[in-house]
Amino acid sequence: MTETKPFNSTEYMNHISLDCVIFGFNNNELKVLLLHLKYSKEYALPGGFLKYDETLEQAAQRIVKERTGLDKLFLKQFKVFSDPDRSKSNKAIFDADMAGIKPDKSFFDKRFISVGFYALVDFRKVKPTPDLFSDHCDWVSLNTDVSMLLDHKLIIENAISTLRLQLSQQPIGLKLLPRKFTMPELQTLYETILGRDLDRRNFQRKMLNYNILDKLKERKTGGAHKSPYLYSFNMERYQKALEDGLSGIW
Amino acid sequence: MTETKPFNSTEYMNHISLDCVIFGFNNNELKVLLLHLKYSKEYALPGGFLKYDETLEQAAQRIVKERTGLDKLFLKQFKVFSDPDRSKSNKAIFDADMAGIKPDKSFFDKRFISVGFYALVDFRKVKPTPDLFSDHCDWVSLNTDVSMLLDHKLIIENAISTLRLQLSQQPIGLKLLPRKFTMPELQTLYETILGRDLDRRNFQRKMLNYNILDKLKERKTGGAHKSPYLYSFNMERYQKALEDGLSGIW
DNA sequence: ATAATAATGTGTCGCAATGACACTAGGTGT
DNA sequence: ACACCTAGTGTCATTGCGACACATTATTAT
């Protein structure tokens, strides 16, 4: 699916688009996978349109696979963006034009409402792949302020708020971390999403009390200072625990 | 806005519809406002389509106003329903036909993805008003099992799950209850949404500790047995408390 | 080597929130 | 007057949580 087919607007439904906020966690930072548009020099969310025989969820999986190479990812709808003016002055068209792609104006000029999805992925497994309109595809830290297409900055902010609210209801840690991880890494992930510091000792106690982690014999070596233990999620217990929601608000 | 204009499909965007799950609380039961279709004899959610210059939120307000007479209601998107087959065998068309409304087939025959909204309203203020396709508009208790159009039963189930998850983040009590209410009423509302019983004394203690209620001098008279005190929400403090979320899961 | 540095592992203490539960007070109907 | 039902209020033991201290282990500087 790395083949780059020309864009054919007749395959897609009018008026409906998708934007995917793909979260990854690396170097103790929460990052989002963004496309850098060839000519307008802005960043844009990976997005796309709905085929006639797809659900939105299937379309989102397809779009995310094209940008990451990954299958069957954790994806959630979080909001529809429907401001009538949101897709005006769509620089993506301009970009397509400049790229010599001959966009179908009667398709792109229409009003689009966009369904926002967020995805949680294991950073290391992703092969960032640009699309027809972009020259590269990068992980961008949430602290970095870059110029973005249309309302994409708003969409990312909404995704983060949702992530924060759903931290206790969705398997966020499981999806964002590699299989083996350390307690400090898990804590930093939580701190990044919540936007505030947590007490190291209380965090560990609470996490362990959930009884969803397996402490491994191994330690993570190589880093400076004392080697932390590695943990992995106990899938069964984690899944079961999420059904009620991990009690408490962090 | 009680005027009944003929349906003109050219005012609306193709492919996009809305369905509104309007919740009310009466007689200690959670109820949903439904339309009863004239000819197919099924119940349907109040719904409609998106005008070219509206946001989805504005469309939802418009739709809910037409069915309830109420303005500026509490409305939240909760999910988009996009199964490609969801709008097949759309009995609403049949119903329109039978009602002699001459529906624009080229509009209705298209595939629609539907954005689900839920609304929280004060039961007593609503004037249920049927639309062109329906013969009446009723409050239906969630315990009642009625035959419903398309995937509308699924949509309602999703709305309730969302309501449950958001019970601590949204002003649900405030919007569903009259200005003055009793503690047992508030408790029953919580129990209905959560689907389980709560301890009377612990519930009261926890609620009062949030410091969001004003205990009034009055008592609710007329009922059998001991008269309960009336309470009202302290808007400022409630609003402020919700910003963090009412701590704890019920 | 040795010490300084910095991060991790582990434990304690007191307060506040929670769940389980019992008694009293105020209404109705007989 | 009494039974019956519902509402108001209080207690107690346990748990959860925030604040905090000390020991351990790895790297790095001297």
Side-chain angles (χ1 to χ4, degrees):
Chain A
M1 199 57 184
T2 324
E3 41 170 335
T4 307
K5 288 182 289 190
F7 183 82
N8 178 2
S9 68
T10 61
E11 295 178 30
Y12 301 100
M13 296 188 67
N14 290 329
H15 303 303
I16 299 164
S17 63
L18 297 86
D19 284 297
C20 300
V21 183
I22 304 171
F23 287 109
F25 190 64
N26 176 253
N27 198 21
N28 275 345
E29 287 184 308
L30 195 59
K31 294 176 182 173
V32 174
L33 193 67
L34 297 179
L35 296 164
H36 188 261
L37 298 178
K38 277 182 193 165
Y39 296 95
S40 74
K41 307 294 186 195
E42 289 176 311
Y43 277 100
L45 288 169
F49 306 98
L50 183 63
K51 293 190 179 175
Y52 284 95
D53 57 351
E54 277 179 331
T55 64
L56 284 165
E57 283 71 19
Q58 289 162 348
Q61 291 285 356
R62 172 175 54 77
I63 291 164
V64 172
K65 181 171 187 184
E66 285 168 3
R67 302 281 74 74
T68 65
L70 300 179
D71 253 334
K72 297 175 187 169
L73 289 172
F74 183 84
L75 271 164
K76 282 253 158 197
Q77 286 185 32
F78 63 94
K79 179 161 184 177
V80 187
F81 296 85
S82 64
D83 185 326
D85 299 329
R86 66 173 293 280
S87 52
K88 281 192 181 159
S89 78
N90 192 333
K91 294 196 187 160
I93 310 173
F94 165 75
D95 243 84
D97 251 340
M98 295 296 288
I101 288 165
K102 297 194 199 90
D104 179 352
K105 283 264 170 79
S106 73
F107 179 78
F108 280 99
D109 271 351
K110 291 198 170 83
R111 171 183 175 192
F112 278 88
I113 69 164
S114 194
V115 183
F117 279 80
Y118 74 85
L120 304 178
V121 304
D122 183 345
F123 182 91
R124 303 166 314 158
K125 293 186 181 163
V126 173
K127 288 194 177 59
T129 310
D131 67 5
L132 289 171
F133 309 92
S134 49
D135 46 20
H136 45 99
C137 183
D138 308 308
W139 286 106
V140 177
S141 164
L142 287 173
N143 307 316
T144 315
D145 192 42
V146 295
S147 169
M148 297 210 57
L149 182 71
L150 301 175
D151 55 354
H152 289 196
K153 199 167 276 184
L154 175 70
I155 295 177
I156 292 176
E157 283 165 14
N158 270 272
I160 296 168
S161 312
T162 306
L163 201 58
R164 191 169 297 164
L165 282 173
Q166 298 188 347
L167 189 57
S168 305
Q169 268 85 41
Q170 306 291 352
I172 290 173
L174 178 61
K175 300 293 177 179
L176 278 173
L177 290 169
R179 202 175 64 77
K180 299 174 181 179
F181 54 89
T182 68
M183 194 59 77
E185 284 167 350
L186 183 60
Q187 182 177 345
T188 308
L189 171 60
Y190 271 68
E191 288 177 334
T192 307
I193 294 173
L194 293 172
R196 63 192 174 86
D197 291 345
L198 301 169
D199 184 276
R200 199 165 58 85
R201 296 150 287 193
N202 295 337
F203 178 83
Q204 169 146 340
R205 179 181 52 195
K206 194 165 175 175
M207 263 300 162
L208 293 178
N209 279 344
Y210 285 145
N211 221 23
I212 54 174
L213 297 181
D214 291 330
K215 184 175 185 170
L216 307 178
K217 298 256 153 68
E218 310 169 64
R219 286 157 168 265
K220 175 166 194 164
T221 58
H225 317 300
K226 181 171 182 177
S227 335
Y229 282 100
L230 287 167
Y231 293 83
S232 64
F233 284 99
N234 184 308
M235 311 294 261
E236 292 173 51
R237 285 200 289 253
Y238 194 12
Q239 205 48 51
K240 200 176 293 176
L242 283 173
E243 285 167 23
D244 302 329
L246 299 173
S247 69
I249 311 282
W250 283 87
Chain B
M1 197 60 182
T2 324
E3 42 170 335
T4 308
K5 289 182 287 191
F7 183 81
N8 179 1
S9 67
T10 63
E11 295 179 31
Y12 301 100
M13 296 188 67
N14 290 328
H15 303 304
I16 300 164
S17 63
L18 296 86
D19 284 297
C20 301
V21 183
I22 304 172
F23 286 108
F25 190 66
N26 177 252
N27 198 23
N28 275 345
E29 288 184 308
L30 194 59
K31 295 177 181 174
V32 174
L33 192 66
L34 297 179
L35 295 164
H36 188 260
L37 298 179
K38 277 181 190 165
Y39 297 93
S40 75
K41 306 293 186 196
E42 289 176 312
Y43 278 99
L45 288 169
F49 306 98
L50 183 63
K51 293 189 179 175
Y52 284 95
D53 57 351
E54 276 179 332
T55 64
L56 284 164
E57 283 71 19
Q58 289 163 349
Q61 290 285 356
R62 171 175 54 77
I63 290 164
V64 173
K65 181 171 185 183
E66 285 168 4
R67 302 281 76 73
T68 64
L70 300 180
D71 253 335
K72 297 174 188 170
L73 289 172
F74 183 84
L75 271 164
K76 282 254 158 196
Q77 286 184 31
F78 63 94
K79 181 163 184 175
V80 187
F81 297 85
S82 63
D83 185 325
D85 299 330
R86 65 173 293 280
S87 52
K88 280 190 182 160
S89 79
N90 192 332
K91 294 195 187 160
I93 309 174
F94 165 76
D95 242 81
D97 252 341
M98 295 297 286
I101 288 164
K102 298 194 199 90
D104 179 352
K105 284 263 170 79
S106 74
F107 180 78
F108 280 99
D109 270 350
K110 292 198 170 83
R111 172 184 174 191
F112 277 88
I113 69 165
S114 195
V115 182
F117 279 81
Y118 73 86
L120 305 177
V121 305
D122 182 345
F123 182 92
R124 303 166 313 158
K125 293 185 180 164
V126 173
K127 290 196 176 61
T129 309
D131 66 6
L132 289 170
F133 309 92
S134 50
D135 47 20
H136 45 99
C137 183
D138 308 309
W139 286 106
V140 176
S141 165
L142 288 174
N143 308 316
T144 315
D145 192 42
V146 294
S147 168
M148 296 211 55
L149 182 70
L150 302 175
D151 56 355
H152 287 197
K153 200 167 276 185
L154 174 70
I155 294 177
I156 292 176
E157 284 165 13
N158 271 272
I160 296 168
S161 312
T162 306
L163 202 59
R164 192 168 299 165
L165 283 174
Q166 298 188 347
L167 189 56
S168 303
Q169 268 85 40
Q170 305 292 352
I172 290 174
L174 178 62
K175 300 293 177 180
L176 277 173
L177 291 169
R179 203 175 65 76
K180 299 175 183 180
F181 54 89
T182 68
M183 193 60 76
E185 283 167 351
L186 182 61
Q187 181 178 346
T188 308
L189 172 59
Y190 270 68
E191 288 177 333
T192 308
I193 294 174
L194 293 172
R196 62 192 176 86
D197 290 344
L198 300 170
D199 184 277
R200 198 167 58 84
R201 297 151 285 194
N202 295 337
F203 179 83
Q204 168 145 334
R205 178 181 52 195
K206 194 164 177 176
M207 263 300 162
L208 292 178
N209 279 343
Y210 286 144
N211 221 23
I212 55 173
L213 297 181
D214 291 330
K215 184 174 186 169
L216 306 178
K217 298 254 152 69
E218 312 168 63
R219 287 158 167 265
K220 176 164 193 166
T221 58
H225 319 300
K226 181 172 180 176
S227 335
Y229 282 100
L230 287 167
Y231 293 83
S232 63
F233 284 100
N234 183 308
M235 310 293 260
E236 291 173 52
R237 287 200 288 252
Y238 194 11
Q239 205 50 51
K240 199 175 293 177
L242 283 173
E243 285 167 22
D244 303 329
L246 300 173
S247 69
I249 312 283
W250 284 88

